[in-house]
Amino acid sequence: MIDFENPGVFAILLLVPLVYILRRTRVFGHISLPMTLSDWNGPSFDWKRPSRNFMSVLVHILLCAGFISLTAALANPVIHHQEKIYTSRGSEVLFVIDISPSMAARDIGGQTRLEASKNVIHTMLEDNTGLSVGIVEMAKEATVLVPPTMDRKVFFEKLDSLVPGLLGDGTAIGTGLSSAILHLDYSTAPKKAIVLITDGENNAGSIHPNTAARLAKEKDISLYVLGVGTKGTVPLEYTDPYTGRVTSGYFPSDYDTTSLSRIALEGNGTFYEIPTINLLSQVLKAISKQENVVQSYLVRDNNTSYAQYCLVFTMLCAIIAWLIRRFILQEVL
């Protein structure tokens, strides 16, 4: 919401039509001394009137715009917005995201599986600012990319940096879940949850995913398993992040949802088969609502002034008008 702290200053703008009227009625005018320069018995200098008139009008427009901008700066335009400051802890959710090369398959609403997951996570967190979220990236190996945080800027920067194939070719679901459990185990959050987003079966790592799922259950950590992608022959365009080699074509997508549902069952969690982006959005919104807790917070008012931008615009208008009058109209100022 834009507001002005000194709105009375805008009364100065009444000077603009007043000066115009006085100039038109010749009550107020400027003194000019026309000078014609020419060679002896030669042709005299002549202005090209259409271009001169255009430049003269442009100068007046710039001066008026600068005057209006200066008046706005004196009125001090500000934008008011409110910020929630949470005084109690909310839930913590760790996203275990598969970044194996197969996540580059483009079969989720015209997007790759990884792109669709990232975009929907963005949407999910827009309405839940009290949730602490983190990322565990997983492929042949797994690592905690972002511990649970409420800093959305940091979280989204890391989320957007996820690239298929960065941790090799493979799917170490057990290792990814174990990494997430390790970080959530010592948390004092009222609710803790893991959202596993993958498109394949466990085929790497030394920890069996069912073992990790049972550990999550013991630690009272909610587990959601999302199997993204469609079955059959799907398009894929994958760029190796290390060699730059591009692989494109089609590959058979026939991952076994039975193993993923078994992981959810072992962890007393929920399994979702996600073939469309709409279903992915619905599921993540439902998870956000399910894991939400009531938090106490304070509301802080933040005001941002834009007077300095108006002053900069005023200076630009004045400088451009001066340059036109001095070097194009060649007026002596």
Side-chain angles (χ1 to χ4, degrees):
M1 176 182 177
I2 300 178
D3 194 11
F4 294 91
E5 293 188 348
N6 306 308
V9 175
F10 282 109
I12 299 176
L13 294 178
L14 296 175
L15 294 176
V16 175
L18 179 61
V19 171
Y20 176 77
I21 293 172
L22 292 176
R23 290 287 296 273
R24 295 293 294 179
T25 57
R26 300 186 182 279
V27 175
F28 175 71
H30 61 274
I31 300 175
S32 62
L33 298 174
M35 299 177 64
T36 302
L37 303 177
S38 66
D39 294 332
W40 185 262
N41 291 327
S44 61
F45 178 80
D46 184 31
W47 284 103
K48 295 180 179 179
R49 296 198 60 82
S51 60
R52 175 179 171 80
N53 289 339
F54 172 77
M55 289 298 175
S56 180
V57 171
L58 180 59
V59 168
H60 285 87
I61 292 175
L62 288 170
L63 292 177
C64 286
F67 181 72
I68 294 173
S69 181
L70 177 62
T71 304
L74 294 175
N76 193 19
V78 295
I79 292 182
H80 303 286
H81 56 92
Q82 295 181 329
E83 179 184 5
K84 284 184 179 180
I85 307 297
Y86 289 94
T87 56
S88 64
R89 192 165 190 151
S91 302
E92 289 189 359
V93 175
L94 264 174
F95 291 94
V96 180
I97 303 177
D98 187 350
I99 60 168
S100 60
S102 60
M103 289 292 284
R106 193 174 294 275
D107 61 345
I108 303 292
Q111 306 176 61
T112 69
R113 296 168 179 178
L114 183 58
E115 287 173 350
S117 300
K118 293 193 292 185
N119 291 336
V120 174
I121 290 173
H122 268 276
T123 304
M124 166 192 175
L125 297 178
E126 286 178 356
D127 299 327
N128 198 335
T129 57
L131 197 67
S132 294
V133 287
I135 300 171
V136 174
E137 55 180 349
M138 172 195 69
K140 186 177 181 180
E141 302 173 355
T143 181
V144 177
L145 187 62
V146 185
T149 178
M150 292 183 66
D151 190 331
R152 291 292 189 265
K153 182 179 179 181
V154 171
F155 176 83
F156 288 139
E157 284 178 354
K158 295 298 183 180
L159 177 67
D160 295 337
S161 70
L162 294 178
V163 176
L166 201 59
L167 292 180
D169 187 2
T171 310
I173 295 177
T175 306
L177 291 177
S178 298
S179 300
I181 294 168
L182 179 64
H183 275 75
L184 292 175
D185 186 26
Y186 297 99
S187 172
T188 58
K191 279 188 177 182
K192 296 175 282 188
I194 295 173
V195 179
L196 170 64
I197 301 177
T198 182
D199 67 347
E201 302 176 19
N202 183 77
N203 56 19
S206 58
I207 302 175
H208 197 282
N210 291 352
T211 303
R214 287 193 293 270
L215 182 60
K217 179 181 177 182
E218 293 175 7
K219 301 294 184 180
D220 197 25
I221 299 173
S222 301
L223 178 61
Y224 302 93
V225 181
L226 280 60
V228 296
T230 58
K231 294 183 179 181
T233 302
V234 297
L236 179 141
E237 185 170 336
Y238 165 67
T239 302
D240 190 296
Y242 296 104
T243 65
R245 179 182 177 184
V246 178
T247 302
S248 61
Y250 293 84
F251 86 104
S253 175
D254 54 358
Y255 70 94
D256 184 12
T257 57
T258 304
S259 62
L260 294 180
S261 60
R262 182 65 183 176
I263 294 171
L265 182 62
E266 291 286 344
N268 196 26
T270 308
F271 168 68
Y272 299 94
E273 188 172 353
I274 310 291
T276 66
I277 193 167
N278 288 334
L279 184 57
L280 178 60
S281 178
Q282 293 173 13
V283 167
L284 286 181
K285 285 182 179 179
I287 293 173
S288 174
K289 186 177 181 180
Q290 178 68 28
E291 295 302 317
N292 191 33
V293 296
V294 177
Q295 293 176 257
S296 58
Y297 60 87
L298 302 174
V299 177
R300 181 174 64 187
D301 292 325
N302 291 327
N303 299 329
T304 304
S305 175
Y306 285 84
Q308 64 271 26
Y309 299 106
C310 295
L311 290 174
V312 170
F313 182 74
T314 298
M315 292 179 63
L316 286 175
C317 289
I319 291 172
I320 295 173
W322 181 85
L323 290 174
I324 292 174
R325 295 184 64 184
R326 180 66 181 85
F327 295 103
I328 297 179
L329 299 179
Q330 297 184 358
E331 295 181 358
V332 179
L333 305 177

